[in-house]
Amino acid sequence: MTKCFDTLVAEAKTAVPAISVREAHDLHSKGTAVFVDPRPAEAIASTTGLIPGAYNVGLDDLREGMLPPALQDRTTPIVSACQAGPMGALAAHALQMRGFTDVHYLSGGTQEWREAGHPTEAEVTSPLG
């Protein structure tokens, strides 16, 4: 039986810790975490944009282990963010399932990131080519 989206998100949110916009911004400012956005590029550009420096890697690519060079060390701190949080949680869980040990999803996503006054970028390129 295939699980519905809401069930998968609930499982992911149980397995992976959330991080607040404030905590994520601190990590971003210090450059101590890699940020990943699993949304399609068109969705990013037409909604909230991408956190500066974040990698746009699709959820299916993350699940299949197609990772950018910045994600080769499984101990790298990672923050996964989508527009509101659910896809970020799924992406973080996918990374956790691939052996990453320091993964969080951005609670409230890029929507809350922008509401807090932090910048985003509309230009999106894939690090996978």
Side-chain angles (χ1 to χ4, degrees):
M1 177 180 212
T2 304
K3 295 179 183 179
C4 72
F5 181 78
D6 290 340
T7 300
L8 292 171
V9 170
E11 289 175 358
K13 286 183 174 184
T14 299
V16 180
I19 190 170
S20 70
V21 168
R22 184 170 165 189
E23 293 168 306
H25 186 259
D26 287 346
L27 292 173
H28 189 266
S29 296
K30 294 175 187 171
T32 55
V34 174
F35 284 70
V36 175
D37 193 318
R39 295 177 289 163
E42 309 80 45
I44 293 170
S46 68
T47 58
T48 58
L50 187 71
I51 293 173
Y55 291 96
N56 176 226
V57 183
L59 185 55
D60 288 339
D61 290 337
L62 292 172
R63 286 179 174 150
E64 293 175 18
M66 297 174 62
L67 306 172
L71 294 180
Q72 298 307 309
D73 179 353
R74 299 288 196 248
T75 63
T76 299
I78 301 169
V79 176
S80 178
C82 66
Q83 181 177 349
M87 281 191 68
L90 291 173
H93 192 232
L95 288 165
Q96 187 181 64
M97 297 299 288
R98 295 207 70 75
F100 287 86
T101 59
D102 191 0
V103 184
H104 296 81
Y105 72 93
L106 180 59
S107 180
T110 54
Q111 188 170 320
E112 283 191 21
W113 177 271
R114 283 181 47 159
E115 288 170 3
H118 305 308
T120 59
E121 303 171 338
E123 185 76 23
V124 179
T125 56
S126 171
L128 303 176

Short mmCIF file of all heavy atoms in Angstrom, two decimals, residues 69-98:
data_model
loop_
_atom_site.label_atom_id
_atom_site.label_comp_id
_atom_site.label_asym_id
_atom_site.label_seq_id
_atom_site.Cartn_x
_atom_site.Cartn_y
_atom_site.Cartn_z
N PRO A 69 28.71 17.93 -4.92
CA PRO A 69 29.99 17.68 -4.24
C PRO A 69 30.02 18.16 -2.79
O PRO A 69 30.68 17.55 -1.95
CB PRO A 69 31.01 18.44 -5.09
CG PRO A 69 30.39 18.48 -6.44
CD PRO A 69 28.90 18.59 -6.21
N ALA A 70 29.28 19.21 -2.46
CA ALA A 70 29.26 19.73 -1.09
C ALA A 70 28.64 18.74 -0.11
O ALA A 70 28.78 18.91 1.10
CB ALA A 70 28.50 21.05 -1.04
N LEU A 71 27.98 17.71 -0.63
CA LEU A 71 27.32 16.73 0.24
C LEU A 71 27.96 15.35 0.13
O LEU A 71 27.29 14.34 0.05
CB LEU A 71 25.83 16.64 -0.10
CG LEU A 71 25.00 17.87 0.19
CD1 LEU A 71 23.55 17.64 -0.19
CD2 LEU A 71 25.12 18.28 1.65
N GLN A 72 29.26 15.31 0.18
CA GLN A 72 29.94 14.03 0.14
C GLN A 72 30.27 13.52 1.54
O GLN A 72 30.31 12.31 1.77
CB GLN A 72 31.21 14.12 -0.71
CG GLN A 72 30.93 14.47 -2.15
CD GLN A 72 29.90 13.55 -2.81
OE1 GLN A 72 30.00 12.34 -2.76
NE2 GLN A 72 28.89 14.16 -3.42
N ASP A 73 30.48 14.42 2.48
CA ASP A 73 30.78 14.06 3.87
C ASP A 73 29.46 13.88 4.62
O ASP A 73 28.66 14.82 4.74
CB ASP A 73 31.61 15.17 4.52
CG ASP A 73 31.96 14.91 5.97
OD1 ASP A 73 31.46 13.92 6.55
OD2 ASP A 73 32.73 15.71 6.52
N ARG A 74 29.20 12.69 5.10
CA ARG A 74 27.92 12.37 5.75
C ARG A 74 27.74 13.07 7.11
O ARG A 74 26.68 13.00 7.69
CB ARG A 74 27.78 10.85 5.95
CG ARG A 74 27.78 10.05 4.65
CD ARG A 74 26.49 10.28 3.90
NE ARG A 74 26.26 9.30 2.85
CZ ARG A 74 26.28 9.57 1.55
NH1 ARG A 74 26.55 10.77 1.14
NH2 ARG A 74 26.01 8.64 0.67
N THR A 75 28.79 13.75 7.61
CA THR A 75 28.66 14.48 8.87
C THR A 75 28.40 15.97 8.65
O THR A 75 28.27 16.72 9.61
CB THR A 75 29.92 14.31 9.75
OG1 THR A 75 31.04 14.87 9.07
CG2 THR A 75 30.16 12.84 10.06
N THR A 76 28.32 16.39 7.39
CA THR A 76 28.07 17.80 7.07
C THR A 76 26.73 18.25 7.63
O THR A 76 25.72 17.58 7.43
CB THR A 76 28.04 17.98 5.53
OG1 THR A 76 29.30 17.61 5.00
CG2 THR A 76 27.72 19.41 5.14
N PRO A 77 26.69 19.37 8.36
CA PRO A 77 25.40 19.90 8.80
C PRO A 77 24.58 20.37 7.59
O PRO A 77 25.10 21.09 6.73
CB PRO A 77 25.78 21.09 9.69
CG PRO A 77 27.21 20.88 10.05
CD PRO A 77 27.81 20.14 8.90
N ILE A 78 23.33 19.93 7.53
CA ILE A 78 22.46 20.25 6.39
C ILE A 78 21.14 20.80 6.90
O ILE A 78 20.57 20.28 7.85
CB ILE A 78 22.19 19.00 5.53
CG1 ILE A 78 23.49 18.41 5.02
CG2 ILE A 78 21.25 19.33 4.38
CD1 ILE A 78 23.34 17.04 4.39
N VAL A 79 20.66 21.85 6.22
CA VAL A 79 19.33 22.39 6.47
C VAL A 79 18.57 22.28 5.15
O VAL A 79 19.00 22.83 4.13
CB VAL A 79 19.36 23.85 6.94
CG1 VAL A 79 17.95 24.39 7.09
CG2 VAL A 79 20.13 23.98 8.24
N SER A 80 17.46 21.58 5.18
CA SER A 80 16.62 21.42 4.00
C SER A 80 15.43 22.37 4.12
O SER A 80 14.78 22.42 5.17
CB SER A 80 16.15 19.98 3.89
OG SER A 80 15.30 19.83 2.77
N ALA A 81 15.17 23.11 3.06
CA ALA A 81 14.09 24.10 3.10
C ALA A 81 13.27 24.06 1.82
O ALA A 81 13.82 23.96 0.74
CB ALA A 81 14.67 25.50 3.28
N CYS A 82 11.97 24.13 1.97
CA CYS A 82 11.07 24.31 0.84
C CYS A 82 10.25 25.57 1.15
O CYS A 82 10.63 26.34 2.02
CB CYS A 82 10.17 23.09 0.66
SG CYS A 82 9.01 22.83 2.01
N GLN A 83 9.15 25.76 0.47
CA GLN A 83 8.37 26.97 0.69
C GLN A 83 7.79 27.04 2.11
O GLN A 83 7.87 28.06 2.76
CB GLN A 83 7.24 27.09 -0.33
CG GLN A 83 6.42 28.36 -0.14
CD GLN A 83 5.34 28.51 -1.19
OE1 GLN A 83 5.31 27.80 -2.18
NE2 GLN A 83 4.45 29.45 -0.97
N ALA A 84 7.18 25.93 2.58
CA ALA A 84 6.50 25.97 3.87
C ALA A 84 6.99 24.92 4.87
O ALA A 84 6.66 25.02 6.04
CB ALA A 84 4.99 25.82 3.67
N GLY A 85 7.73 23.93 4.46
CA GLY A 85 8.27 22.95 5.38
C GLY A 85 8.10 21.48 5.01
O GLY A 85 9.02 20.69 5.26
N PRO A 86 6.95 21.05 4.46
CA PRO A 86 6.76 19.61 4.23
C PRO A 86 7.79 18.95 3.30
O PRO A 86 8.34 17.91 3.64
CB PRO A 86 5.35 19.53 3.63
CG PRO A 86 4.66 20.73 4.15
CD PRO A 86 5.72 21.79 4.22
N MET A 87 8.04 19.56 2.15
CA MET A 87 9.04 18.95 1.24
C MET A 87 10.44 19.03 1.83
O MET A 87 11.27 18.16 1.60
CB MET A 87 9.00 19.60 -0.14
CG MET A 87 7.86 19.08 -0.99
SD MET A 87 7.98 19.58 -2.71
CE MET A 87 9.40 18.66 -3.25
N GLY A 88 10.69 20.08 2.62
CA GLY A 88 11.97 20.17 3.31
C GLY A 88 12.15 19.02 4.28
O GLY A 88 13.23 18.45 4.40
N ALA A 89 11.07 18.67 4.99
CA ALA A 89 11.12 17.54 5.91
C ALA A 89 11.37 16.24 5.15
O ALA A 89 12.18 15.40 5.57
CB ALA A 89 9.83 17.45 6.72
N LEU A 90 10.68 16.06 4.02
CA LEU A 90 10.89 14.85 3.21
C LEU A 90 12.32 14.76 2.69
O LEU A 90 12.93 13.69 2.70
CB LEU A 90 9.90 14.82 2.04
CG LEU A 90 8.43 14.61 2.39
CD1 LEU A 90 7.56 14.78 1.14
CD2 LEU A 90 8.22 13.26 3.03
N ALA A 91 12.86 15.89 2.24
CA ALA A 91 14.24 15.91 1.74
C ALA A 91 15.23 15.61 2.86
O ALA A 91 16.18 14.83 2.68
CB ALA A 91 14.55 17.26 1.10
N ALA A 92 15.02 16.21 4.02
CA ALA A 92 15.90 15.95 5.15
C ALA A 92 15.85 14.48 5.56
O ALA A 92 16.88 13.87 5.84
CB ALA A 92 15.51 16.84 6.33
N HIS A 93 14.66 13.90 5.53
CA HIS A 93 14.52 12.49 5.86
C HIS A 93 15.22 11.62 4.82
O HIS A 93 15.88 10.62 5.18
CB HIS A 93 13.04 12.13 5.98
CG HIS A 93 12.81 10.79 6.57
ND1 HIS A 93 12.01 9.84 5.98
CD2 HIS A 93 13.30 10.20 7.72
CE1 HIS A 93 12.01 8.76 6.72
NE2 HIS A 93 12.77 8.95 7.77
N ALA A 94 15.11 11.98 3.56
CA ALA A 94 15.80 11.23 2.50
C ALA A 94 17.31 11.25 2.73
O ALA A 94 17.99 10.23 2.57
CB ALA A 94 15.45 11.80 1.13
N LEU A 95 17.84 12.41 3.11
CA LEU A 95 19.27 12.52 3.39
C LEU A 95 19.65 11.69 4.62
O LEU A 95 20.68 11.02 4.64
CB LEU A 95 19.67 13.98 3.57
CG LEU A 95 19.67 14.79 2.28
CD1 LEU A 95 19.69 16.28 2.58
CD2 LEU A 95 20.85 14.40 1.40
N GLN A 96 18.81 11.76 5.63
CA GLN A 96 19.04 10.96 6.83
C GLN A 96 19.07 9.47 6.48
O GLN A 96 19.93 8.73 6.96
CB GLN A 96 17.95 11.26 7.86
CG GLN A 96 18.18 10.63 9.21
CD GLN A 96 17.04 10.94 10.14
OE1 GLN A 96 15.91 10.53 9.90
NE2 GLN A 96 17.33 11.68 11.20
N MET A 97 18.16 9.05 5.63
CA MET A 97 18.11 7.64 5.21
C MET A 97 19.34 7.24 4.40
O MET A 97 19.69 6.07 4.32
CB MET A 97 16.83 7.36 4.41
CG MET A 97 15.54 7.57 5.18
SD MET A 97 15.39 6.51 6.62
CE MET A 97 15.09 4.96 5.81
N ARG A 98 20.03 8.22 3.81
CA ARG A 98 21.25 7.96 3.06
C ARG A 98 22.49 8.04 3.95
O ARG A 98 23.61 8.03 3.47
CB ARG A 98 21.37 8.93 1.89
CG ARG A 98 20.22 8.70 0.89
CD ARG A 98 20.58 9.10 -0.50
NE ARG A 98 21.55 8.25 -1.15
CZ ARG A 98 21.33 7.02 -1.63
NH1 ARG A 98 20.16 6.47 -1.51
NH2 ARG A 98 22.28 6.36 -2.23
#
